[in-house]
Amino acid sequence: MAKRGGSPVNLALQGGGAHGAFTWGVLDRLLEEDWIDYTAISGTSAGAMNAIVMAEGLVEGDRAHARTQLHQFWMGMADTAELLSPFRRTPWQKLTGSWALSNSLLYEASLSMTRMFSPYELNPFGYNPLRDALEKLIDFEAVRRQRRIRLFINTTHVRTGGLRCWREHELTVDMVLASACLPWLFHTPVIDGEGYWDGGYVANPAIEPMVRATGTDDVLIVQLNPIVRNELPRTSFEIHDRLNEITFNASLLTELRFIAERNRLIDAGELASKDHRKIRLHMIHGDEALGRFPPSTKLLAERDFLLTLKEAGRAAGDQWLARHGEKCGQRSSFNYRRLIRQLTQDSDEDPDPRVLMTDDDPPARS
């Protein structure tokens, strides 16, 4: 696109397991645009992985290096899954082109085992392939030393159930692993005597801490978990998957509701603009691309699947740049107010996030 001049943006990257490869594609496309300046990145789970890999790539090199680092990380995940993952398709599924792990007896057996036995029983030595991948790829000392990009890696504090946001100057591999720790799959990372789990339970991702810590008013959210699914879940696996989607979207919708109300109060003159900032919201969402894949595919890290998601993410990033890129620094580019009204039943309209998240927010209300 033809936009010139630096536009500072805060990135908010949602988690979603292997679906984080969609975010990889989005970032790969955005990094081709030198007019976007990244002030901060808030990431949860797979979003935390993308955040740390992208930030380290930018700090240690340039945008091209960041793209290379992201490629190496996700292809490394594919190589590891090929060797070790129990969550894989059967030969028949590969032959028929089906991605649905929920139809695989191997997948169902593996998932049932995780519900019967804890990771401390199934994996007594606590092996986590993500640790090897991050330690080989990321110079954490360089990330802690730099001041170019602020990082917010979100975790759930197990003892209190609260949010713990780890910042760039303190980051270790354990903190990033904690952000992606599903406690039924991995040992709980213990940091300074406290246990931490996947940040998606309380912040997916956290936006407000990033807004408070920076002077950047544009927040670009990459959203992975489908908000609306029209099919009623009936099997135990479908019910479990839908509960996870609802849980991992709840905190994001709460943050959007808070920002929407603050922006409204500023517009109405009920909050002084000199003391409070309006936030311009933008969203690249995976509802259309990812909604056709069952939630079970969040555990599918096959190379072909990850590359399919990457290309879908690149296409979504390209579409957003073409339609909304010029609005950065000017106004919000999706109708978050209408989305919140519909999802909180303040409207008789049927919620359709695929429309709302590409529909402009009226300029006078941005």
Short mmCIF file of all heavy atoms in Angstrom, two decimals, residues 80-107:
data_model
loop_
_atom_site.label_atom_id
_atom_site.label_comp_id
_atom_site.label_asym_id
_atom_site.label_seq_id
_atom_site.Cartn_x
_atom_site.Cartn_y
_atom_site.Cartn_z
N THR A 80 9.05 -31.11 15.08
CA THR A 80 8.91 -31.76 16.38
C THR A 80 7.63 -32.58 16.44
O THR A 80 7.61 -33.71 16.95
CB THR A 80 8.91 -30.71 17.50
OG1 THR A 80 10.14 -30.00 17.48
CG2 THR A 80 8.74 -31.37 18.86
N ALA A 81 6.54 -32.03 15.91
CA ALA A 81 5.26 -32.74 15.91
C ALA A 81 5.34 -34.02 15.10
O ALA A 81 4.74 -35.05 15.47
CB ALA A 81 4.16 -31.83 15.36
N GLU A 82 6.08 -33.96 14.01
CA GLU A 82 6.22 -35.15 13.16
C GLU A 82 6.88 -36.29 13.94
O GLU A 82 6.55 -37.47 13.75
CB GLU A 82 7.06 -34.80 11.93
CG GLU A 82 7.20 -35.93 10.93
CD GLU A 82 5.90 -36.30 10.25
OE1 GLU A 82 5.01 -35.42 10.13
OE2 GLU A 82 5.76 -37.47 9.86
N LEU A 83 7.76 -35.96 14.85
CA LEU A 83 8.48 -36.97 15.61
C LEU A 83 7.75 -37.40 16.89
O LEU A 83 7.77 -38.58 17.25
CB LEU A 83 9.87 -36.45 15.99
CG LEU A 83 10.88 -36.25 14.86
CD1 LEU A 83 12.13 -35.57 15.41
CD2 LEU A 83 11.24 -37.58 14.23
N LEU A 84 7.11 -36.44 17.58
CA LEU A 84 6.68 -36.69 18.95
C LEU A 84 5.19 -36.57 19.22
O LEU A 84 4.69 -37.15 20.19
CB LEU A 84 7.43 -35.73 19.90
CG LEU A 84 8.96 -35.83 19.91
CD1 LEU A 84 9.54 -34.72 20.77
CD2 LEU A 84 9.40 -37.18 20.43
N SER A 85 4.46 -35.81 18.41
CA SER A 85 3.08 -35.50 18.79
C SER A 85 2.15 -36.70 18.63
O SER A 85 2.13 -37.34 17.58
CB SER A 85 2.55 -34.34 17.93
OG SER A 85 1.19 -34.09 18.26
N PRO A 86 1.32 -36.98 19.66
CA PRO A 86 0.31 -38.02 19.53
C PRO A 86 -0.93 -37.51 18.80
O PRO A 86 -1.80 -38.30 18.42
CB PRO A 86 -0.03 -38.37 20.99
CG PRO A 86 0.21 -37.10 21.72
CD PRO A 86 1.36 -36.42 21.03
N PHE A 87 -1.00 -36.19 18.62
CA PHE A 87 -2.17 -35.59 17.96
C PHE A 87 -1.87 -35.45 16.48
O PHE A 87 -1.31 -34.45 16.02
CB PHE A 87 -2.48 -34.22 18.59
CG PHE A 87 -2.71 -34.30 20.07
CD1 PHE A 87 -1.82 -33.72 20.96
CD2 PHE A 87 -3.80 -34.98 20.59
CE1 PHE A 87 -2.02 -33.79 22.33
CE2 PHE A 87 -4.01 -35.06 21.97
CZ PHE A 87 -3.12 -34.47 22.83
N ARG A 88 -2.24 -36.49 15.72
CA ARG A 88 -1.96 -36.47 14.29
C ARG A 88 -3.08 -37.19 13.55
O ARG A 88 -3.86 -37.95 14.12
CB ARG A 88 -0.61 -37.12 14.01
CG ARG A 88 -0.50 -38.57 14.47
CD ARG A 88 0.88 -39.13 14.19
NE ARG A 88 1.88 -38.50 15.04
CZ ARG A 88 3.19 -38.64 14.86
NH1 ARG A 88 3.64 -39.34 13.85
NH2 ARG A 88 4.04 -38.06 15.69
N ARG A 89 -3.14 -36.93 12.26
CA ARG A 89 -4.18 -37.54 11.43
C ARG A 89 -3.82 -38.98 11.05
O ARG A 89 -2.64 -39.35 11.02
CB ARG A 89 -4.39 -36.72 10.16
CG ARG A 89 -4.94 -35.33 10.40
CD ARG A 89 -5.15 -34.61 9.08
NE ARG A 89 -3.88 -34.41 8.36
CZ ARG A 89 -3.80 -34.17 7.07
NH1 ARG A 89 -4.90 -34.10 6.34
NH2 ARG A 89 -2.63 -33.98 6.50
N THR A 90 -4.84 -39.74 10.76
CA THR A 90 -4.63 -41.10 10.26
C THR A 90 -4.27 -41.03 8.78
O THR A 90 -4.53 -40.02 8.10
CB THR A 90 -5.90 -41.94 10.43
OG1 THR A 90 -6.94 -41.37 9.61
CG2 THR A 90 -6.35 -41.95 11.88
N PRO A 91 -3.67 -42.10 8.23
CA PRO A 91 -3.40 -42.12 6.79
C PRO A 91 -4.65 -41.89 5.94
O PRO A 91 -4.58 -41.24 4.89
CB PRO A 91 -2.82 -43.53 6.57
CG PRO A 91 -2.19 -43.88 7.89
CD PRO A 91 -3.08 -43.27 8.93
N TRP A 92 -5.79 -42.40 6.40
CA TRP A 92 -7.03 -42.21 5.64
C TRP A 92 -7.43 -40.73 5.62
O TRP A 92 -7.86 -40.20 4.59
CB TRP A 92 -8.16 -43.06 6.23
CG TRP A 92 -9.49 -42.80 5.60
CD1 TRP A 92 -10.56 -42.16 6.15
CD2 TRP A 92 -9.89 -43.15 4.26
NE1 TRP A 92 -11.61 -42.09 5.27
CE2 TRP A 92 -11.22 -42.70 4.09
CE3 TRP A 92 -9.25 -43.78 3.21
CZ2 TRP A 92 -11.93 -42.87 2.91
CZ3 TRP A 92 -9.95 -43.96 2.02
CH2 TRP A 92 -11.26 -43.51 1.88
N GLN A 93 -7.28 -40.07 6.75
CA GLN A 93 -7.61 -38.64 6.81
C GLN A 93 -6.70 -37.84 5.89
O GLN A 93 -7.13 -36.89 5.24
CB GLN A 93 -7.52 -38.13 8.25
CG GLN A 93 -8.65 -38.62 9.14
CD GLN A 93 -8.43 -38.23 10.58
OE1 GLN A 93 -7.37 -38.48 11.15
NE2 GLN A 93 -9.42 -37.61 11.19
N LYS A 94 -5.44 -38.20 5.86
CA LYS A 94 -4.51 -37.51 4.96
C LYS A 94 -4.90 -37.74 3.51
O LYS A 94 -4.86 -36.83 2.67
CB LYS A 94 -3.09 -37.98 5.21
CG LYS A 94 -2.52 -37.56 6.56
CD LYS A 94 -1.08 -38.05 6.72
CE LYS A 94 -0.51 -37.63 8.07
NZ LYS A 94 0.88 -38.10 8.26
N LEU A 95 -5.31 -38.97 3.20
CA LEU A 95 -5.69 -39.32 1.83
C LEU A 95 -6.93 -38.55 1.40
O LEU A 95 -7.03 -38.09 0.26
CB LEU A 95 -5.93 -40.82 1.72
CG LEU A 95 -6.24 -41.37 0.33
CD1 LEU A 95 -5.05 -41.16 -0.61
CD2 LEU A 95 -6.61 -42.85 0.41
N THR A 96 -7.88 -38.38 2.32
CA THR A 96 -9.14 -37.70 1.99
C THR A 96 -9.07 -36.19 2.20
O THR A 96 -10.03 -35.47 1.90
CB THR A 96 -10.29 -38.27 2.84
OG1 THR A 96 -9.97 -38.11 4.24
CG2 THR A 96 -10.50 -39.73 2.53
N GLY A 97 -7.95 -35.70 2.74
CA GLY A 97 -7.79 -34.26 2.93
C GLY A 97 -8.53 -33.72 4.13
O GLY A 97 -8.79 -32.51 4.22
N SER A 98 -8.88 -34.58 5.09
CA SER A 98 -9.60 -34.14 6.28
C SER A 98 -8.62 -33.68 7.34
O SER A 98 -7.63 -34.37 7.63
CB SER A 98 -10.46 -35.28 6.83
OG SER A 98 -10.98 -34.94 8.10
N TRP A 99 -8.90 -32.51 7.94
CA TRP A 99 -8.06 -32.01 9.02
C TRP A 99 -8.64 -32.36 10.39
O TRP A 99 -8.01 -32.10 11.41
CB TRP A 99 -7.92 -30.49 8.93
CG TRP A 99 -7.29 -29.98 7.67
CD1 TRP A 99 -7.89 -29.26 6.69
CD2 TRP A 99 -5.92 -30.12 7.26
NE1 TRP A 99 -7.00 -28.95 5.69
CE2 TRP A 99 -5.78 -29.46 6.02
CE3 TRP A 99 -4.81 -30.74 7.82
CZ2 TRP A 99 -4.57 -29.41 5.33
CZ3 TRP A 99 -3.60 -30.70 7.14
CH2 TRP A 99 -3.49 -30.03 5.91
N ALA A 100 -9.83 -32.92 10.45
CA ALA A 100 -10.57 -33.07 11.70
C ALA A 100 -10.00 -34.17 12.58
O ALA A 100 -10.26 -35.36 12.36
CB ALA A 100 -12.05 -33.33 11.42
N LEU A 101 -9.22 -33.81 13.56
CA LEU A 101 -8.65 -34.78 14.49
C LEU A 101 -9.73 -35.49 15.30
O LEU A 101 -9.53 -36.61 15.76
CB LEU A 101 -7.67 -34.09 15.44
CG LEU A 101 -6.28 -33.77 14.91
CD1 LEU A 101 -5.48 -33.06 15.99
CD2 LEU A 101 -5.56 -35.01 14.46
N SER A 102 -10.87 -34.82 15.48
CA SER A 102 -11.92 -35.39 16.32
C SER A 102 -12.48 -36.69 15.75
O SER A 102 -13.17 -37.43 16.45
CB SER A 102 -13.05 -34.37 16.52
OG SER A 102 -13.49 -33.88 15.27
N ASN A 103 -12.18 -36.99 14.50
CA ASN A 103 -12.61 -38.25 13.90
C ASN A 103 -11.54 -39.34 14.00
O ASN A 103 -11.71 -40.43 13.46
CB ASN A 103 -12.97 -38.04 12.42
CG ASN A 103 -14.16 -37.12 12.26
OD1 ASN A 103 -15.06 -37.12 13.09
ND2 ASN A 103 -14.16 -36.31 11.21
N SER A 104 -10.44 -39.02 14.67
CA SER A 104 -9.33 -39.95 14.77
C SER A 104 -9.36 -40.68 16.11
O SER A 104 -9.41 -40.05 17.17
CB SER A 104 -8.00 -39.20 14.62
OG SER A 104 -6.93 -39.99 15.06
N LEU A 105 -9.32 -42.02 16.07
CA LEU A 105 -9.30 -42.80 17.30
C LEU A 105 -8.03 -42.51 18.11
O LEU A 105 -8.05 -42.50 19.34
CB LEU A 105 -9.40 -44.28 16.98
CG LEU A 105 -10.76 -44.77 16.45
CD1 LEU A 105 -10.69 -46.25 16.12
CD2 LEU A 105 -11.86 -44.51 17.47
N LEU A 106 -6.91 -42.27 17.40
CA LEU A 106 -5.66 -41.96 18.08
C LEU A 106 -5.79 -40.64 18.85
O LEU A 106 -5.35 -40.53 20.00
CB LEU A 106 -4.52 -41.85 17.07
CG LEU A 106 -3.14 -41.47 17.63
CD1 LEU A 106 -2.66 -42.51 18.64
CD2 LEU A 106 -2.12 -41.31 16.50
N TYR A 107 -6.41 -39.65 18.23
CA TYR A 107 -6.62 -38.36 18.90
C TYR A 107 -7.52 -38.53 20.12
O TYR A 107 -7.21 -38.04 21.22
CB TYR A 107 -7.25 -37.36 17.93
CG TYR A 107 -7.82 -36.13 18.59
CD1 TYR A 107 -6.99 -35.10 19.03
CD2 TYR A 107 -9.19 -35.99 18.79
CE1 TYR A 107 -7.51 -33.97 19.64
CE2 TYR A 107 -9.72 -34.87 19.40
CZ TYR A 107 -8.88 -33.86 19.82
OH TYR A 107 -9.41 -32.75 20.42
#
